[in-house]
Amino acid sequence: MTALNTTRNIANPDDAYALLLAAHEGLSKDESDALNARLILTLINHIGDIDVLREALAVARG
């Protein structure tokens, strides 16, 4: 099992956030929600480890 990496792991977090905002630009609330859902499912597939997913969900819920 791989543990969830909660330390900063991206060289340019502001650029990543800007990409996320740009992806939502011009979308309705429903379209934006659908984009978020597709992105989450894509990243879940990329993670590929149910234990890491459980850990990430726990962290996200606080």
Side-chain angles (χ1 to χ4, degrees), residues 31-42:
E31 291 168 330
S32 182
D33 289 347
L35 171 62
N36 281 335
R38 289 189 304 272
L39 178 59
I40 289 165
L41 291 172
T42 300

Side-chain angles (χ1 to χ4, degrees), residues 40-60:
I40 289 165
L41 291 172
T42 300
L43 294 173
I44 286 171
N45 184 66
H46 177 75
I47 291 167
D49 185 320
I50 196 70
D51 293 326
V52 172
L53 177 58
R54 281 190 187 98
E55 196 175 345
L57 289 167
V59 168

